[in-house]
């Protein structure tokens, strides 16, 4: 509850104890209420400065928002380093925070001041106007114009939704960590690469068990599904992963999902929208469900014929190996796809691992940022971290000035959610004294761990994941806006993935790979011939993968375009919702929805299409670099100044067109994926 007094005001993780959180939360709420009271009780006529920007303008070097500070640290730890005590506290704090948020948004006097400024404000800069519109709209979209009865109903709905999203996430984490495949017979490891076997042996040893232990975490699950010859064990792993949270136990998420869908629909309808999707899309580039469905339908039309062809090729490969009567099942897809990939391109993830040593990949990615934007990274072990696996770096701009703090948390562990994400411990803003308060960003992943005999060696997919999350972190680190709530990744959700997916384009570029892809034993650079095979295989199963993403988008929209109470059984509804994007068999006893954190607990409800929307943007943007040079500093400078530094200060299409000179088209994506000729 005091100024941190650390280097760059970084979080002093070494001093924070569990018992500090609850007290800090409660004091933060008290201070927040005090600050709001000062605004509300101000006798002066409401203005932008004394009502909207008052908090931002008062932030000096030692000013901080305690509630924001503790909430940020706590939520980051809940994802990256949680335990039973933290989970219990989250259950206790979540409804208190939701109630506090509702108290703020339903504060009549505060809204009256905001509304007065909105209706009578002086001339503002575009950024100030955006902030004002955002603040006013936040009140309206949260029910500020409702009558007292409807306000109370909305308050109850949001509080219940807050509790259920937390419960959804906790159930999923428990189910994920509860399952392990324990192998004691070496014969069952046939087909698996040494890296997967060594990692499984290390996992077993950590639990004081003999043999090998496989989990549902991606670095363990993915190689097993691609390489394990034992079909029965592949089926066991597949079914464990694809039946998470539908079993008859305390972690079942089916009723939670159904309730969340109805809560969100009812909340949207109270505020005046027909569906929850309509409510969400008002603040998205897509703008309407019609435009979302047009994108998804256009992608189905363009990619489905190719996806069917890709699936038939895999079925044919399986029959060649197993006999004409062999029937391909979902747990066979990755295994035989890998066999076909080897036949076509003589290439698989394990052949590339020796060239993708994590330390060298980090150097390569940092070097790419340096080539593009002139920024540099220097590890600083004096900056406190929350786990020994985490590394902290100071980031410096082209002119040598301090730019940001960057945390990297690479490996899976107990108490850490699966997947990969970027987050912030501090956002960027400029205070009233003109000081540019720089951001502290963190990238959290679950990459392949080092073993007793090998350093951490990544797959190409993991390199792409790193580039993706690093793209988000650049959006945060290069931010240069006046208001923190508009800086960095605080943009519309169908734009937020553009900077991250843009970076993935570099993963197959020879000039980039040449900067870091050296064999971890011999030091030999990755051969040109291998890079050529990477590029040739880049679009292997690309249409199938595209339709998989489209199917998730269709499912998301099916739930959140409901106009009346949703009463259907989740599992059969799911199969029907995404059927037109499906080319492979669907099993009736599996379910995606109950583990679909993005749309149930992660903020992507009615927004999962954003990944494909942003992919159109990133392909279009990268086409400019392909034309001017993939490391072209002037093009990168324009991307930084027009897009990355601007955050959410203007409509994202305005920012993008300023960089590109025109609106994007789907053409660059179709060309990149080999669906259309250049």
């Amino acid at each position: 509850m005091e100024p941190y007094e650390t280097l760059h005001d970084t979080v002093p993780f070494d001093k924070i104890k569990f018992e500090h959180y609850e007290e800090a939360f409660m004091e933060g709420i008290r201070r927040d209420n005090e600050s709001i009271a000062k605004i509300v009780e101000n006798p002066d006529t409401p203005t932008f400065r004394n009502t909207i920007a008052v908090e931002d303008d008062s932030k000096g070097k030692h000013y901080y928002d305690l509630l924001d500070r503790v909430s940020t640290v706590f939520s980051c730890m809940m994802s990256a380093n949680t335990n039973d005590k933290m989970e219990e506290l989250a259950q206790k704090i979540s409804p208190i925070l939701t109630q506090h948020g509702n108290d703020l948004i339903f504060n009549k006097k505060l809204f009256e001041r905001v509304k007065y400024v909105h209706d009578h404000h002086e001339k503002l800069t575009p950024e100030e106007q955006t902030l004002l519109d955002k603040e006013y709209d936040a009140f309206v979209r949260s029910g500020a114009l409702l009558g007292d009865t409807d306000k109370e109903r909305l308050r109850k709905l949001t509080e219940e939704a807050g509790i259920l999203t937390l419960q959804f996430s906790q159930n999923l984490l428990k189910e994920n960590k509860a399952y392990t495949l324990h192998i004691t017979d070496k014969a069952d490891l046939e087909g698996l690469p040494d890296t997967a076997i060594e990692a499984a042996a290390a996992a077993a040893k950590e639990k004081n068990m003999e043999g090998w232990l496989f989990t549902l975490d991606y670095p363990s699950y993915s190689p097993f599904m691609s390489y394990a010859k034992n079909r029965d064990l592949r089926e066991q792993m597949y079914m464990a992963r694809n039946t998470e949270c539908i079993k008859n136990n305390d972690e079942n998420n089916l009723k939670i999902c159904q309730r969340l869908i109805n809560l969100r629909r009812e909340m949207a309808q109270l505020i005046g929208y027909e569906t929850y999707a309509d409510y969400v899309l008002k603040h998205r580039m897509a703008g309407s469900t019609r435009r979302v469905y047009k994108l998804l339908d256009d992608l189905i039309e363009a990619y489905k014929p190719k996806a069917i062809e890709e699936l038939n090729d895999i079925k044919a490969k399986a029959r060649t190996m197993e006999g004409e009567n062999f029937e391909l099942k979902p747990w066979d897809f990755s295994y035989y796809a890998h066999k076909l990939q080897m036949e076509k391109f003589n290439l698989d993830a394990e052949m590339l691992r020796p060239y993708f040593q994590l330390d060298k990949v980090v150097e390569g990615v940092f070097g790419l940022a340096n080539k593009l934007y002139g920024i540099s990274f220097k590890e600083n072990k004096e900056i406190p971290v929350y786990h020994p696996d985490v590394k902290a770096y100071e980031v410096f701009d082209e002119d040598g000035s301090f730019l940001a703090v960057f945390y990297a948390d690479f490996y899976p562990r107990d108490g850490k959610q699966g997947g990969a994400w970027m987050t912030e411990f501090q956002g960027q803003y400029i205070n009233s004294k003109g000081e540019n308060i720089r951001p502290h960003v963190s990238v959290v992943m679950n990459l392949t761990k080092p073993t007793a005999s090998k350093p951490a060696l990544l797959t190409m997919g993991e390199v792409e994941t790193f580039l993706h999350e690093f793209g988000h972190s650049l959006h945060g680190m290069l931010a240069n806006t006046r208001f923190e709530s508009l800086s960095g990744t605080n943009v519309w959700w169908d734009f937020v993935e553009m900077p991250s997916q843009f970076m993935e384009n570099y993963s197959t570029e020879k000039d980039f790979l040449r900067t870091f892809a050296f064999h971890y034993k011999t030091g030999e650079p990755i051969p040109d011939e291998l890079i050529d095979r990477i590029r040739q295989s880049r679009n292997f199963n690309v249409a199938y993968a595209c339709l998989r993403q489209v199917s998730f988008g269709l499912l998301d929209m099916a739930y959140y375009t409901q106009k009346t109470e949703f009463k259907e059984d989740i599992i059969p509804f799911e199969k029907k919702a995404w059927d037109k994007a499906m080319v492979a068999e669907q099993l009736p006893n599996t379910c995606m929805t109950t583990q679909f954190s993005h749309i149930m607990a992660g903020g992507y409800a009615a927004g999962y299409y954003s990944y494909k929307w942003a992919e159109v943007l990133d392909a279009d943007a990268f086409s400019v670099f392909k034309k001017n040079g993939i490391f072209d500093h002037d093009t990168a400078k324009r991307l930084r100044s027009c897009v990355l530094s601007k955050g959410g200060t203007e409509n994202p299409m305005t920012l993008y067109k300023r960089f590109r000179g025109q609106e994007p088209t789907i053409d660059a994506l179709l060309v990149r994926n080999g669906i259309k000729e250049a």
Side-chain angles (χ1 to χ4, degrees), residues 320-512:
T320 300
M321 293 176 65
E322 310 296 346
E324 277 304 312
N325 295 324
F326 183 80
E327 189 180 346
L328 191 82
K329 291 292 182 183
W331 47 85
D332 299 319
F333 182 86
S334 296
Y335 182 76
Y336 292 103
H338 163 246
K339 297 294 185 188
L340 181 61
Q341 187 178 28
M342 284 296 293
E343 179 187 293
K344 278 189 166 187
F345 307 106
N346 188 24
L347 184 73
D348 74 2
E350 294 306 310
M351 293 169 67
L352 300 176
R353 272 194 203 270
Y355 297 98
F356 293 152
Q357 183 178 340
L358 177 57
D359 290 347
K360 297 293 183 189
V361 175
V362 171
E363 286 177 20
V365 172
F366 286 175
L368 175 58
N370 182 261
K371 278 183 165 64
L372 291 173
Y373 307 111
I375 66 176
S376 56
F377 295 74
K378 183 182 178 184
E379 187 178 0
N380 189 328
K381 294 183 178 177
E382 299 302 309
I383 295 175
V385 293
Y386 56 85
H387 189 277
D389 283 350
V390 181
K391 290 185 175 182
Y393 300 83
E394 290 176 283
V395 188
F396 299 96
D397 211 339
E398 199 165 15
D399 62 1
S401 62
F402 171 70
L403 186 70
V405 173
F406 175 79
Y407 298 90
D409 180 358
F410 291 124
Y411 306 124
R413 58 177 171 268
D414 287 343
K416 184 178 184 180
Q417 295 277 9
W421 61 93
M422 168 266 180
T423 189
E424 285 183 337
F425 292 109
Q426 177 175 289
Q428 177 274 334
Y429 62 91
I430 297 171
N431 66 21
S432 57
K433 297 173 186 172
E435 297 167 318
N436 198 323
I437 309 301
R438 299 309 304 166
H440 305 163
V441 306
S442 177
V443 160
V444 188
M445 289 175 280
N446 284 273
L447 303 177
T448 301
K449 294 172 78 167
T451 64
S453 63
K454 288 189 180 78
L457 301 174
L458 308 187
T459 64
M460 172 61 88
E462 289 177 315
V463 173
E464 288 173 346
T465 296
F466 187 7
L467 283 164
H468 179 102
E469 299 307 332
F470 189 73
H472 282 311
S473 77
L474 284 172
H475 204 178
M477 290 187 287
L478 299 175
N480 193 30
T481 66
R482 182 177 159 198
F483 302 112
E484 186 174 0
S485 61
L486 298 178
S487 81
T489 56
N490 288 301
V491 299
W492 287 356
W493 279 58
D494 47 6
F495 191 63
V496 76
E497 296 299 337
M498 192 287 271
S500 54
Q501 292 177 185
F502 167 82
M503 292 296 286
E504 290 183 48
N505 286 281
Y506 285 91
S507 64
T508 56
E509 291 294 331
K510 185 179 289 189
D511 289 343
F512 172 57

Side-chain angles (χ1 to χ4, degrees), residues 25 43 79 115 140 156 159 191 202 204 272 280 335 354 357 373 447 471 501 580 582 590 637 642 655:
F25 268 122
S79 300
K115 188 175 187 306
V140 173
K156 286 194 166 82
E159 286 173 3
V280 168
Y335 182 76
Q357 183 178 340
Y373 307 111
L447 303 177
Q501 292 177 185
K580 66 179 176 180
M582 283 292 163
T590 59
K637 198 172 177 181
C642 295
L655 298 177

Side-chain angles (χ1 to χ4, degrees), residues 54-68:
V54 59
E55 189 176 80
D56 291 82
D57 280 355
S58 65
K59 288 184 179 180
K61 182 170 172 53
H62 288 310
Y63 172 88
Y64 58 92
D65 180 333
L66 177 60
L67 185 57
D68 179 63

